[in-house]
C-alpha cells in the first residue's frame, strides 16, 4: 500500500474559506498522533470491520517496516540512526515480531476470538487509510512537518502538502455543498 495522499475535493466557500477533503495512507502506528488534531473531521478503516485473514494477507503482502531506526534517548525524538549493522538487526527483529504477531492473530481467530481483538495484534505492521476534511492546517503543518516529528507522520504530512499544493480549489456558489465522495452536479 505504502504512503500516499490525494485531494478528494477542494472547495472555497462564498465567504472565502477553503475546505479540503483528502485521503491519506500512512503506517497505523501514527494514527493516534494524527487523530490528536481536533480540527480534522476524519473517518478511517476499522480493525473491527476487516476479517482477520484479509488483514493478515494485507500485512504479508505489504507490511509496514520502518525505513530507519533511530537510537533511543531521552525525550520524544529518536537520536541519530543506528549503524548499518544495527539497522539490519533492528529490521530483522521488527520482521520477526510481525511474523509472531501473525501467528498469534491467526491463533486467536481459530479460537473464535472476534476480529476486533485478533486484528489488534498485527496493527503495528499495517498501513492505514484516512479520509480527512479540514479548513485548518497551520498547526498540523507546524507540528508534523517539523524536523522533530516522528519520521512516519512527517512523510505522510509532506505528501499531504504536495497534494494540496497541486490542487486548485473550486469556488462554491451560495447553496452548493462540498461533497467529496459524490460527483459534481453542476
Amino acid at each position: 500500500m505504502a504512503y500516499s495522499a490525494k485531494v478528494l475535493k477542494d472547495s472555497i466557500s462564498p465567504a472565502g474559506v477553503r475546505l479540503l477533503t483528502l485521503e491519506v495512507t500512512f503506517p497505523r502506528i501514527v494514527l493516534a498522533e494524527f487523530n490528536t488534531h481536533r480540527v480534522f473531521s476524519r473517518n478511517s478503516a476499522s480493525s473491527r470491520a476487516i476479517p482477520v485473514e484479509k488483514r493478515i494477507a494485507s500485512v504479508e503482502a505489504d507490511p509496514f517496516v520502518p525505513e530507519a531506526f533511530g537510537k533511543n534517548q531521552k525525550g520524544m525524538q529518536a537520536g541519530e540512526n543506528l549503524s548499518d549493522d544495527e539497522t539490519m538487526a533492528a529490521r530483522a527483529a521488527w520482521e520477526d515480531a510481525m511474523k509472531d504477531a501473525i501467528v498469534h492473530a491467526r491463533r486467536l481467530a481459530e479460537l473464535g476470538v472476534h476480529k476486533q481483538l485478533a486484528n489488534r495484534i498485527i496493527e503495528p505492521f499495517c498501513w492505514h487509510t484516512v479520509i480527512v476534511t479540514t479548513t485548518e492546517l497551520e498547526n498540523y503543518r507546524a507540528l508534523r512537518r517539523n524536523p522533530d516529528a516522528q519520521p512516519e507522520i512527517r512523510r505522510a504530512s509532506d505528501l499531504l502538502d504536495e497534494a494540496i499544493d497541486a490542487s486548485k480549489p473550486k469556488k462554491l456558489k451560495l447553496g452548493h455543498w462540498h461533497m467529496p465522495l459524490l460527483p459534481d452536479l453542476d
Side-chain angles (χ1 to χ4, degrees):
M1 186 174 283
Y3 292 91
S4 68
K6 66 181 177 180
V7 174
L8 298 179
K9 190 79 162 191
D10 187 351
S11 304
I12 293 189
S13 75
V17 177
R18 188 174 188 185
L19 180 61
L20 287 152
T21 299
L22 306 113
E23 181 181 279
V24 59
T25 299
F26 48 74
R28 175 69 173 76
I29 63 168
V30 294
L31 179 61
E33 286 76 15
F34 188 84
N35 284 343
T36 62
H37 296 277
R38 296 181 56 184
V39 295
F40 291 165
S41 174
R42 60 200 161 270
N43 197 341
S44 61
S46 171
S47 290
R48 297 174 54 215
I50 301 168
V52 177
E53 276 305 320
K54 185 175 180 181
R55 186 63 120 171
I56 289 172
S58 166
V59 168
E60 289 176 327
D62 185 20
F64 164 68
V65 178
E67 293 175 15
F69 292 85
K71 289 187 178 182
N72 189 29
Q73 64 180 14
K74 289 182 179 182
M76 291 177 59
Q77 292 84 25
E80 64 187 40
N81 287 340
L82 299 177
S83 70
D84 289 346
D85 289 342
E86 292 167 326
T87 294
M88 284 179 25
R91 187 175 314 278
W94 183 273
E95 291 171 357
D96 287 346
M98 178 188 68
K99 291 172 190 168
D100 289 346
I102 289 170
V103 166
H104 295 292
R106 272 202 178 105
R107 184 168 172 223
L108 289 169
E110 289 165 1
L111 290 169
V113 173
H114 192 273
K115 59 192 171 209
Q116 71 184 357
L117 291 176
N119 276 340
R120 303 289 185 202
I121 304 294
I122 56 175
E123 282 182 348
F125 313 101
C126 294
W127 292 98
H128 194 79
T129 300
V130 177
I131 295 176
V132 59
T133 299
T134 188
T135 59
E136 301 288 331
L137 285 164
E138 290 75 20
N139 182 260
Y140 176 82
R141 286 174 167 155
L143 294 173
R144 303 306 179 187
R145 294 201 68 205
N146 186 293
D148 289 335
Q150 185 170 345
E152 292 81 11
I153 199 166
R154 187 175 60 241
R155 182 157 178 210
S157 301
D158 289 345
L159 290 173
L160 273 176
D161 268 5
E162 288 173 20
I164 292 166
D165 290 346
S167 180
K168 184 175 181 193
K170 179 183 177 189
K171 289 190 176 196
L172 295 177
K173 297 176 187 166
L174 194 60
H176 285 203
W177 294 81
H178 176 93
M179 296 185 291
L181 301 179
L182 298 174
D184 287 333
L185 300 175
D186 52 36

